[in-house]
Amino acid sequence: MLKLLLPVLLLSQVVFADTKSDALKLFEKRDDEKSLVEALSKFEKAHAENPSDLDVLTYLSRGYFIYAEYFISKEKDKMANFEKARNFGEKALEMNA
């Protein structure tokens, strides 16, 4: 049974690493709205794959804050993204406690 699970576990770690790596590359261009949105999408996927990754939670918090602060003008949408940033930040703090 373990022989069957090992390749699956290894493959899932490779996929997670690729998703996170892609997100980090996109986040480097966070001054471009399209790149930031794509990075957030990939970080969300990485978080779903590995919810205990503190780095991913930190980037999600920072990313949603930047998105709200610099790219959103409607107050309701801005506040919703600030809320996402806060929630991810709180999760990261709870894990790091």
Side-chain angles (χ1 to χ4, degrees):
M1 183 69 166
L2 184 58
K3 288 182 181 180
L4 294 175
L5 287 177
L6 190 57
V8 172
L9 292 172
L10 291 175
L11 182 60
S12 68
Q13 289 302 311
V14 170
V15 170
F16 170 74
D18 286 345
T19 302
K20 185 176 175 180
S21 176
D22 291 345
L24 289 168
K25 287 177 189 170
L26 288 163
F27 195 78
E28 289 177 4
K29 303 176 207 164
R30 61 190 169 271
D31 57 331
D32 174 64
E33 182 177 7
K34 183 179 177 189
S35 293
L36 180 58
V37 169
E38 288 180 46
L40 288 170
S41 175
K42 290 190 181 288
F43 280 128
E44 290 268 9
K45 183 178 177 187
H47 177 60
E49 293 167 359
N50 186 359
S52 63
D53 189 310
L54 188 58
D55 288 337
V56 170
L57 286 168
T58 302
Y59 278 106
L60 282 166
S61 181
R62 290 178 61 202
Y64 278 111
F65 178 85
I66 292 167
Y67 186 56
E69 185 71 17
Y70 296 106
F71 295 109
I72 298 178
S73 57
K74 290 184 181 179
E75 192 66 23
K76 182 178 178 182
D77 295 337
K78 187 179 279 270
M79 295 312 292
N81 281 276
F82 279 139
E83 183 70 18
K84 280 185 179 182
R86 186 176 65 85
N87 289 338
F88 283 119
E90 286 178 350
K91 282 183 187 179
L93 288 170
E94 288 171 8
M95 285 180 49
N96 202 29

